[in-house]
Amino acid sequence: MAIVIIRQDGKIPEWKEALSAASPSTPIYSYLEEHPKEAIEMALVWKHPPGALRPYKNLKCISGSGAGVDFIFNDKEAPLHLPITRVVDQVLAKDMSEHVIGVILAYLKNLYTYKVDQANRVWKPLQYKRMGDYRIGILGMGALGVVLAKDLLHFGFPVQGWSNSKKNIEAVRSFVGQDELSDFLDTTQVLVCLLPLTENTTGILNKTLFQQLPKGAFVINVARGGHLVDEDLLEMLDNGHLSGAGLDVYQEEPLPVSHPFWAHPKIHMTPHYASVSDTRSVVPQILENYRRLQAGEPLLNLVSKERGY
Ligand code: NDP
Ligand code: OXD
């Protein structure tokens, strides 16, 4: 009975140490070291190389170590019939909320523009923008979207959300499904994408959707690069329909240096760092699932294979 960690971002030692400290009797291995493959029952994965799960014939669960699991479904060699779990964590949600609020405030308070003006020694006060005048629309009202919505209310923003199922959050208008998407977009001045990447949401941030936003809207994508049609965003920024975009995720990561986003004056980029699983906070739910797996109990934070999230 053991756990293998499979990821390529240099963070295996951090995860191994945190898991071992919390459960010294559980054998934890890096997929890169010699280890008994037949003993592995749980694989803790983050953007693992496709096919990396193949050697584990006794695997009982694929545990994603972030919120999004699109990379697991994309591995056609993965044993997708096994239970797949993901991270649902208050720290991850709060971190995301802080990041998105930071981007919204930098936009509304013109901080991006003033930074450029400073570099050029330009003194040019712009129209003052107040939070209460800008409605924030959140695509995806799940573990992250709901926390963001509630935090935005504290800042005085009007807030609305779009999801598959109706949400009952005081003071947050809930829009559901394709039928209500247009009404949601019509009244959204700052759009935040916090959807999972699935068959239904791939390419959702496209020209048709942008055209339904009011002129001058600002778009924030902190979900996945696959949600955005890059050329449609560039067109809508260049023709002035959108006033800017804050991007944290990209079709290809790291974003190739030749990509037009890098030098675009209306695009404000961060390197897929809006929110990062904190091992201190996340390790207990991984180990609880490992215990449940052995006890034959229902797992926490199960992903639905039908919905893809
Ligand atoms: P959840 O699964 O908790 O929430 C997903 C939300 O999207 C739900 O409200 C769901 O509706 C809604 N949704 C899904 N598909 C559709 C659809 N076709 N139409 C309408 N609504 C839909 O996910 P999380 O909040 O935990 O995470 C969201 C995403 O954020 C992750 O999948 C990941 O890609 C991204 N992420 C990015 C990070 C970063 O650093 N940039 C960090 C962490 C996550 P319903 O509630 O009705 O099911
Ligand atoms: C996640 C992410 O999905 O970091 O958790 O993108």
Side-chain angles (χ1 to χ4, degrees):
M1 303 285 225
I3 300 177
V4 67
I5 308 172
I6 314 179
R7 54 194 301 146
Q8 304 176 87
D9 59 358
K11 290 187 179 172
I12 290 181
E14 178 188 331
W15 280 88
K16 196 171 169 184
E17 198 182 310
L19 286 159
S20 302
S23 179
S25 60
T26 304
I28 319 273
Y29 300 103
S30 158
Y31 78 117
L32 297 171
E33 68 186 314
E34 269 306 315
H35 59 288
K37 307 235 173 359
E38 65 294 340
I40 301 300
E41 291 194 334
M42 176 187 272
L44 181 59
V45 293
W46 177 247
K47 296 189 180 173
H48 60 278
L53 294 172
R54 225 184 303 120
Y56 304 108
K57 303 296 176 213
N58 296 321
L59 197 63
K60 292 199 169 63
C61 166
I62 305 173
S63 169
S65 49
V69 289
D70 42 293
F71 69 94
I72 299 176
F73 287 110
N74 283 343
D75 176 4
K76 297 303 169 215
E77 294 179 69
L80 297 178
H81 61 281
L82 295 177
I84 299 172
T85 62
R86 70 186 195 101
V87 164
V88 177
D89 177 55
Q90 277 306 302
V91 175
L92 191 73
K94 270 288 174 197
D95 288 350
M96 175 58 82
S97 172
E98 288 168 12
H99 175 88
V100 173
I101 289 169
V103 174
I104 294 173
L105 293 184
Y107 161 64
L108 285 184
K109 298 295 163 187
N110 297 311
L111 304 186
Y112 294 128
T113 311
Y114 290 139
K115 192 70 203 154
V116 176
D117 286 354
Q118 180 187 346
N120 295 319
R121 295 169 192 265
V122 169
W123 180 277
K124 192 176 160 199
L126 297 167
Q127 183 211 346
Y128 204 89
K129 298 181 194 139
R130 294 193 169 77
M131 297 184 213
D133 297 332
Y134 286 80
R135 185 174 303 278
I136 316 295
I138 306 170
L139 290 169
M141 289 291 283
L144 304 183
V146 165
V147 171
L148 172 63
K150 291 180 178 169
D151 286 351
L152 285 165
L153 289 178
H154 290 304
F155 278 82
F157 286 106
V159 184
Q160 56 194 21
W162 183 72
S163 44
N164 264 327
S165 57
K166 189 93 183 157
K167 307 291 167 199
N168 287 308
I169 304 167
E170 205 183 330
V172 177
R173 186 159 173 211
S174 169
F175 293 81
V176 175
Q178 284 301 324
D179 289 351
E180 297 184 8
L181 183 57
S182 288
D183 288 346
F184 165 83
L185 295 169
D186 240 14
T187 46
T188 287
Q189 281 135 313
V190 176
L191 182 75
V192 182
C193 181
L194 269 172
L195 288 164
L197 188 64
T198 66
E199 262 177 29
N200 292 329
T201 64
T202 297
I204 189 169
L205 300 177
N206 59 36
K207 190 168 160 175
T208 311
L209 177 141
F210 294 144
Q211 282 168 333
Q212 295 173 75
L213 292 168
K215 188 169 162 53
F218 188 86
V219 172
I220 298 174
N221 187 18
V222 279
R224 285 290 181 266
H227 288 120
L228 179 65
V229 180
D230 294 4
E231 52 276 25
D232 288 4
L233 176 68
L234 291 166
E235 184 184 334
M236 290 289 124
L237 290 170
D238 292 342
N239 70 15
H241 184 70
L242 296 178
S243 59
L247 304 180
D248 185 58
V249 287
Y250 310 90
Q251 298 273 359
E252 191 182 340
E253 296 179 0
L255 189 68
V257 288
S258 58
H259 197 286
F261 284 174
W262 284 107
H264 201 288
K266 292 183 181 171
I267 292 180
H268 311 289
M269 292 170 48
T270 46
H272 196 151
Y273 217 68
S275 182
V276 175
S277 287
D278 178 349
T279 51
R280 291 167 304 182
S281 180
V282 166
V283 154
Q285 66 182 264
I286 308 288
L287 290 173
E288 172 60 13
N289 265 346
Y290 184 66
R291 187 197 67 72
R292 287 172 178 237
L293 202 60
Q294 287 168 321
E297 293 173 19
L299 301 182
L300 303 173
N301 307 326
L302 271 174
V303 169
S304 152
K305 309 272 170 62
E306 293 70 40
R307 295 184 314 180
Y309 69 95

